[in-house]
């Protein structure tokens, strides 16, 4: 039915409560996955209620960078329920795979019919079951948060992307203070010749009226 202002306001406390619970300081991976098991079916509704535009901003940044090109193989990391995949699909990208640590979230993503393959794995320093130089692009929105993904995953993202390929990821700007090592690590990887930054865009209204930062890097 029609989403009224009143129903939006009612949904916001529930959505915010779940978001704060799943990103609370010190949360362990098992606890985080248990919350997503409960939240998976309501996640899209709750995230719409809090005006989460991150996936759309990531998809738009990728499309701008690639111009008219759409024949790229994309790995959407921390794909969750497939919100980013849906936005990529709307812009004409069709060769998409999803990776997430939560089977319950991936089960919802499967219903969107935008991904070809589904990989259940946790993104970190561990080696993913993916060959080197497999993808043209990696995308990810909202992956960096307490108990979720840390900056130690960046080398692994670079490994699975072909030279000349792109990595397009986004983070809540306020998380950069808690995860100050993210941009340090990004810079170190650029200095080391692993990738180069194409763009860094501060994006208003990324989530709950908070700013986000969308990065696009080219793998070398």
């Amino acid at each position: 039915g029609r989403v009224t202002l009143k129903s939006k306001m009612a949904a916001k406390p529930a959505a915010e409560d779940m978001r704060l619970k799943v990103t609370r300081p010190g949360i362990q991976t098992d606890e985080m996955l248990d919350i997503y098991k409960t939240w998976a079916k309501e996640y899209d509704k709750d995230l719409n209620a809090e005006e989460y535009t991150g996936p759309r901003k990531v998809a738009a940044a990728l499309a701008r960078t690639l111009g008219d090109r759409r024949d790229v193989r994309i790995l959407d990391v921390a794909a969750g329920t497939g919100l980013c995949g849906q936005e990529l699909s709307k812009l004409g990208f069709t060769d998409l795979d999803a990776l997430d640590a939560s089977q319950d979230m991936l089960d919802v993503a499967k219903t969107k019919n935008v991904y070809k393959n589904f990989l259940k794995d946790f993104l970190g320093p561990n080696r993913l079951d993916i060959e080197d130089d497999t993808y043209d692009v990696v995308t990810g929105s909202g992956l960096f948060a307490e108990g979720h993904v840390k900056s130690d995953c960046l080398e692994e993202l670079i490994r699975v992307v072909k030279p000349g390929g792109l990595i397009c990821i986004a983070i809540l700007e306020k998380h950069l203070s808690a995860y100050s090592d993210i941009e340090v690590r990004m810079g170190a990887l650029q200095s080391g010749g692993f990738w180069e930054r194409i763009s860094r865009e501060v994006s208003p209204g990324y989530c709950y009226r908070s700013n986000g930062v969308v990065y696009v890097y080219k793998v070398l």
Side-chain angles (χ1 to χ4, degrees):
R2 189 166 61 90
V3 177
T4 63
L5 181 61
K6 191 174 180 181
S7 65
K8 267 192 171 187
M9 296 302 289
K12 278 190 179 183
E16 178 69 345
D17 180 57
M18 290 300 281
R19 191 171 70 81
L20 290 174
K21 192 183 289 186
V22 83
T23 59
R24 91 177 154 71
I27 190 168
Q28 298 300 303
T29 302
D30 288 351
E31 187 182 354
M32 179 262 293
L33 290 174
D34 280 344
I35 292 172
Y36 280 127
K37 187 185 285 287
T38 308
W39 196 15
K41 288 186 172 61
E42 299 296 319
Y43 185 85
D44 286 7
K45 181 168 67 69
D46 286 351
L47 267 286
N48 282 337
E50 63 167 295
E51 295 145 11
Y52 176 44
T53 64
R56 187 163 73 241
K57 311 244 182 193
V58 166
L62 179 63
R64 276 197 307 273
T65 307
L66 286 172
D68 293 333
R69 190 177 171 208
R70 293 293 180 270
D71 60 333
V72 289
R73 188 175 182 199
I74 300 174
L75 177 65
D76 185 27
V77 298
T81 59
L83 294 175
C84 204
Q86 284 182 288
E87 296 298 337
L88 289 163
S89 179
K90 286 176 191 174
L91 295 181
F93 297 102
T94 57
D95 196 355
L96 310 174
D97 292 346
L99 181 144
D100 199 272
S102 167
Q103 187 60 53
D104 298 276
M105 298 289 269
L106 285 175
D107 288 344
V108 176
K110 282 177 186 174
T111 68
K112 309 289 175 68
N113 297 314
V114 295
Y115 297 108
K116 291 186 173 177
N117 301 295
F118 297 85
L119 298 85
K120 181 183 172 295
D121 208 342
F122 193 81
L123 192 58
N126 51 295
R127 186 181 174 90
L128 299 169
D129 189 18
I130 300 169
E131 294 296 320
D132 295 358
D133 308 337
T134 294
Y135 290 95
D136 301 297
V137 175
V138 160
T139 57
S141 176
L143 56 161
F144 298 108
E146 191 74 40
H148 290 60
V149 178
K150 302 183 181 68
S151 66
D152 59 8
C153 74
L154 295 176
E155 288 88 340
E156 187 63 3
L157 298 185
I158 290 168
R159 182 186 69 76
V160 303
V161 173
K162 299 170 186 174
L166 299 174
I167 295 176
C168 183
I169 50 180
I171 183 173
L172 261 175
E173 189 177 39
K174 61 187 177 187
H175 280 173
L176 286 175
S177 55
Y179 293 91
S180 56
D181 67 317
I182 288 176
E183 292 200 330
V184 172
R185 198 166 194 137
M186 286 174 164
L189 288 166
Q190 177 152 319
S191 300
F194 293 96
W195 65 3
E196 66 180 12
R197 192 165 81 191
I198 303 294
S199 60
R200 179 193 187 276
E201 182 185 1
V202 177
S203 181
Y206 172 87
C207 183
Y208 246 139
R209 295 186 297 281
S210 297
N211 288 350
V213 183
V214 182
Y215 304 89
V216 180
Y217 278 87
K218 182 167 84 171
V219 173
L220 302 176

